[in-house]
Coordinates of all heavy atoms in Angstrom, one line a residue:
V1 N -20.2 -25.8 9.9 CA -19.3 -26.3 8.9 C -18.1 -25.3 8.8 O -18.3 -24.1 8.7 CB -20.0 -26.5 7.5 CG1 -19.1 -27.1 6.5 CG2 -21.2 -27.3 7.6
M2 N -16.9 -25.9 8.7 CA -15.8 -25.2 8.4 C -15.1 -25.7 7.1 O -14.7 -26.9 7.1 CB -14.8 -25.2 9.6 CG -13.5 -24.3 9.4 SD -12.3 -24.3 10.8 CE -13.3 -23.3 11.9
L3 N -15.1 -24.8 6.2 CA -14.4 -25.2 4.9 C -12.9 -24.7 5.0 O -12.7 -23.4 4.9 CB -15.1 -24.6 3.7 CG -16.6 -24.9 3.5 CD1 -17.1 -24.1 2.3 CD2 -16.9 -26.3 3.5
L4 N -12.0 -25.5 4.9 CA -10.6 -25.1 4.8 C -10.3 -24.8 3.4 O -10.3 -25.8 2.5 CB -9.6 -26.2 5.4 CG -9.8 -26.6 6.9 CD1 -8.7 -27.5 7.3 CD2 -9.6 -25.3 7.8
S5 N -9.8 -23.6 3.2 CA -9.6 -23.2 1.7 C -8.2 -22.7 1.6 O -7.4 -22.8 2.5 CB -10.6 -22.1 1.4 OG -10.4 -21.6 0.1
D6 N -7.8 -22.1 0.4 CA -6.5 -21.5 0.2 C -6.5 -20.1 0.2 O -5.6 -19.4 -0.1 CB -5.9 -22.0 -1.2 CG -6.8 -21.6 -2.4 OD1 -7.9 -21.1 -2.1 OD2 -6.5 -21.9 -3.5
V7 N -7.6 -19.5 0.7 CA -7.8 -18.0 0.9 C -8.3 -17.8 2.3 O -8.9 -18.7 3.0 CB -8.7 -17.4 -0.1 CG1 -8.0 -17.5 -1.5 CG2 -10.1 -18.1 -0.1
D8 N -8.3 -16.5 2.8 CA -8.8 -16.2 4.1 C -10.3 -16.3 4.2 O -10.8 -16.4 5.4 CB -8.2 -14.9 4.6 CG -6.7 -14.8 4.7 OD1 -6.3 -15.9 5.1 OD2 -6.1 -13.8 4.6
G9 N -11.1 -16.2 3.2 CA -12.5 -16.0 3.2 C -12.9 -15.3 2.0 O -12.4 -15.3 0.9
L10 N -14.2 -14.7 2.2 CA -14.8 -13.9 1.0 C -14.3 -12.5 1.2 O -14.5 -11.8 2.2 CB -16.3 -14.0 1.1 CG -17.0 -13.1 0.1 CD1 -16.9 -13.6 -1.3 CD2 -18.6 -13.2 0.5
Y11 N -13.8 -12.0 0.1 CA -13.5 -10.5 0.0 C -14.5 -9.8 -0.8 O -15.2 -10.3 -1.6 CB -12.1 -10.3 -0.6 CG -11.0 -10.6 0.2 CD1 -10.4 -11.9 0.4 CD2 -10.3 -9.5 1.0 CE1 -9.4 -12.3 1.3 CE2 -9.1 -9.9 1.8 CZ -8.7 -11.2 1.9 OH -7.7 -11.5 2.7
D12 N -14.6 -8.4 -0.5 CA -15.7 -7.6 -1.2 C -15.2 -7.3 -2.6 O -16.0 -6.8 -3.4 CB -15.9 -6.3 -0.4 CG -14.7 -5.4 -0.2 OD1 -13.6 -5.8 -0.7 OD2 -14.8 -4.3 0.2
R13 N -14.0 -7.7 -3.0 CA -13.5 -7.4 -4.2 C -12.2 -8.2 -4.4 O -11.8 -8.9 -3.5 CB -13.2 -5.9 -4.6 CG -12.1 -5.4 -3.9 CD -12.1 -3.8 -3.8 NE -13.0 -3.5 -2.7 CZ -13.1 -2.1 -2.3 NH1 -12.4 -1.2 -3.0 NH2 -13.9 -1.8 -1.4
D14 N -11.6 -8.1 -5.5 CA -10.3 -8.8 -5.8 C -9.2 -8.4 -4.7 O -9.1 -7.3 -4.5 CB -9.6 -8.5 -7.2 CG -8.4 -9.2 -7.5 OD1 -7.8 -9.7 -6.6 OD2 -8.0 -9.2 -8.7
P15 N -8.7 -9.4 -3.8 CA -7.9 -9.0 -2.7 C -6.7 -8.3 -3.2 O -6.0 -7.6 -2.4 CB -7.5 -10.5 -2.2 CG -8.6 -11.4 -2.7 CD -9.1 -10.8 -3.9
A16 N -6.3 -8.4 -4.4 CA -5.1 -7.6 -5.0 C -5.4 -6.2 -5.1 O -4.4 -5.4 -5.2 CB -4.6 -8.2 -6.3
E17 N -6.7 -5.8 -5.1 CA -7.0 -4.4 -5.3 C -6.8 -3.6 -4.0 O -7.0 -4.1 -3.0 CB -8.4 -4.2 -5.8 CG -8.7 -4.7 -7.1 CD -10.1 -4.5 -7.6 OE1 -10.8 -3.6 -6.9 OE2 -10.6 -5.0 -8.6
P18 N -6.3 -2.3 -4.1 CA -6.2 -1.6 -2.9 C -7.5 -1.3 -2.2 O -8.6 -1.1 -2.9 CB -5.7 -0.2 -3.5 CG -5.1 -0.5 -4.8 CD -5.8 -1.7 -5.4
G19 N -7.5 -1.5 -0.9 CA -8.8 -1.3 -0.1 C -9.7 -2.5 -0.1 O -10.7 -2.4 0.5
A20 N -9.2 -3.6 -0.7 CA -10.0 -4.8 -0.6 C -10.2 -5.3 0.8 O -9.2 -5.3 1.6 CB -9.4 -5.9 -1.4
E21 N -11.4 -5.7 1.3 CA -11.6 -6.0 2.8 C -12.2 -7.5 2.8 O -13.1 -7.8 2.0 CB -12.4 -5.0 3.4 CG -11.9 -3.6 3.5 CD -12.7 -2.7 4.3 OE1 -13.8 -3.1 4.7 OE2 -12.3 -1.5 4.4
L22 N -11.7 -8.1 3.8 CA -12.4 -9.5 4.1 C -13.7 -9.3 4.7 O -13.9 -8.4 5.5 CB -11.5 -10.3 5.0 CG -11.8 -11.6 5.5 CD1 -11.8 -12.6 4.3 CD2 -11.1 -12.1 6.7
V23 N -14.7 -9.9 4.3 CA -16.1 -9.9 4.8 C -16.2 -10.9 6.0 O -16.2 -12.1 5.8 CB -17.1 -10.2 3.8 CG1 -18.5 -10.1 4.4 CG2 -17.0 -9.3 2.6
P24 N -16.2 -10.5 7.2 CA -16.0 -11.3 8.4 C -17.4 -12.1 8.6 O -17.3 -13.3 9.0 CB -15.7 -10.5 9.6 CG -16.2 -9.2 9.2 CD -16.1 -9.0 7.8
V25 N -18.4 -11.5 8.4 CA -19.8 -12.2 8.7 C -20.7 -11.9 7.6 O -20.9 -10.6 7.2 CB -20.4 -11.6 10.0 CG1 -21.8 -12.3 10.3 CG2 -19.4 -11.9 11.2
V26 N -21.5 -12.9 7.1 CA -22.5 -12.7 6.1 C -23.8 -13.2 6.8 O -23.9 -14.3 7.2 CB -22.2 -13.5 4.8 CG1 -23.3 -13.4 3.8 CG2 -21.0 -13.0 4.2
R27 N -24.8 -12.3 6.8 CA -26.1 -12.6 7.4 C -27.1 -12.8 6.3 O -27.9 -11.9 5.9 CB -26.6 -11.5 8.3 CG -25.7 -11.4 9.6 CD -26.2 -10.3 10.6 NE -25.4 -10.3 11.8 CZ -24.3 -9.8 12.0 NH1 -23.6 -9.3 10.9 NH2 -23.7 -9.9 13.1
G28 N -27.0 -13.9 5.6 CA -28.0 -14.3 4.5 C -27.3 -13.9 3.1 O -26.8 -12.8 3.0
I29 N -27.4 -14.9 2.2 CA -26.7 -14.6 1.0 C -27.7 -13.9 0.0 O -28.8 -14.3 -0.3 CB -26.3 -16.1 0.3 CG1 -25.3 -16.7 1.2 CG2 -25.8 -15.8 -1.1 CD1 -24.9 -18.1 0.7
S30 N -27.3 -12.7 -0.3 CA -28.0 -11.8 -1.2 C -27.4 -11.8 -2.6 O -26.3 -12.3 -2.8 CB -28.1 -10.4 -0.6 OG -26.6 -9.9 -0.4
D31 N -28.0 -11.0 -3.5 CA -27.4 -10.8 -4.9 C -26.1 -10.1 -4.7 O -25.2 -10.4 -5.5 CB -28.4 -10.0 -5.7 CG -29.6 -10.9 -6.2 OD1 -29.6 -12.1 -6.1 OD2 -30.6 -10.3 -6.4
E32 N -26.0 -9.2 -3.7 CA -24.7 -8.5 -3.5 C -23.6 -9.4 -3.2 O -22.5 -9.4 -3.6 CB -24.8 -7.5 -2.4 CG -23.6 -6.6 -2.2 CD -23.7 -5.7 -1.1 OE1 -24.8 -5.7 -0.3 OE2 -22.7 -4.9 -0.8
I33 N -23.9 -10.4 -2.2 CA -22.9 -11.4 -1.8 C -22.5 -12.3 -3.0 O -21.4 -12.6 -3.3 CB -23.4 -12.2 -0.7 CG1 -23.6 -11.3 0.5 CG2 -22.5 -13.3 -0.3 CD1 -22.3 -10.7 1.0
R34 N -23.6 -12.7 -3.8 CA -23.2 -13.6 -5.0 C -22.3 -12.8 -6.0 O -21.4 -13.4 -6.6 CB -24.6 -14.0 -5.7 CG -25.4 -14.8 -4.8 CD -26.6 -15.4 -5.6 NE -27.5 -16.2 -4.9 CZ -28.5 -15.8 -4.1 NH1 -28.8 -14.5 -4.1 NH2 -29.3 -16.6 -3.4
S35 N -22.6 -11.5 -6.1 CA -21.7 -10.8 -7.0 C -20.2 -10.7 -6.6 O -19.3 -10.7 -7.4 CB -22.2 -9.3 -7.2 OG -22.1 -8.6 -6.1
M36 N -20.0 -10.8 -5.3 CA -18.6 -10.8 -4.7 C -17.9 -12.1 -5.1 O -16.7 -12.1 -5.2 CB -18.6 -10.7 -3.3 CG -19.1 -9.3 -2.7 SD -19.1 -9.3 -0.8 CE -19.9 -7.7 -0.6
A37 N -18.7 -13.2 -5.2 CA -18.1 -14.4 -5.5 C -18.4 -14.9 -6.9 O -18.1 -16.1 -7.3 CB -18.8 -15.5 -4.5
S38 N -18.7 -14.0 -7.8 CA -18.8 -14.3 -9.2 C -17.4 -14.6 -9.8 O -16.4 -14.1 -9.4 CB -19.6 -13.3 -10.0 OG -18.8 -12.1 -10.1
P39 N -17.4 -15.4 -11.0 CA -16.1 -15.7 -11.5 C -15.3 -14.4 -11.9 O -14.1 -14.4 -11.9 CB -16.5 -16.5 -12.8 CG -17.7 -17.2 -12.4 CD -18.5 -16.2 -11.6
G40 N -16.1 -13.4 -12.3 CA -15.4 -12.1 -12.7 C -14.8 -11.4 -11.6 O -14.1 -10.4 -11.9
S41 N -15.3 -11.6 -10.4 CA -15.0 -10.7 -9.3 C -13.6 -11.0 -8.7 O -13.0 -10.1 -8.1 CB -16.1 -10.9 -8.2 OG -15.9 -12.0 -7.5

């Protein structure tokens, strides 16, 4: 499945923050991955 979005993908933090990195591959959704996509992240 390919979801076309308005962003490049999942970042490890707010993309506006210095050092924010795109996560290219996720091997299983963990609590850590969920925290990256939480509303506050």
Side-chain angles (χ1 to χ4, degrees):
V1 180
M2 181 177 289
L3 306 179
L4 297 183
S5 181
D6 57 357
V7 293
D8 291 334
L10 175 68
Y11 282 82
D12 62 353
R13 70 198 80 172
D14 185 342
E17 290 184 15
E21 294 184 1
L22 181 69
V23 181
V25 177
V26 175
R27 292 177 173 84
I29 296 176
S30 62
D31 289 340
E32 180 184 6
I33 295 299
R34 291 187 185 93
S35 70
M36 293 179 190
S38 67
S41 73

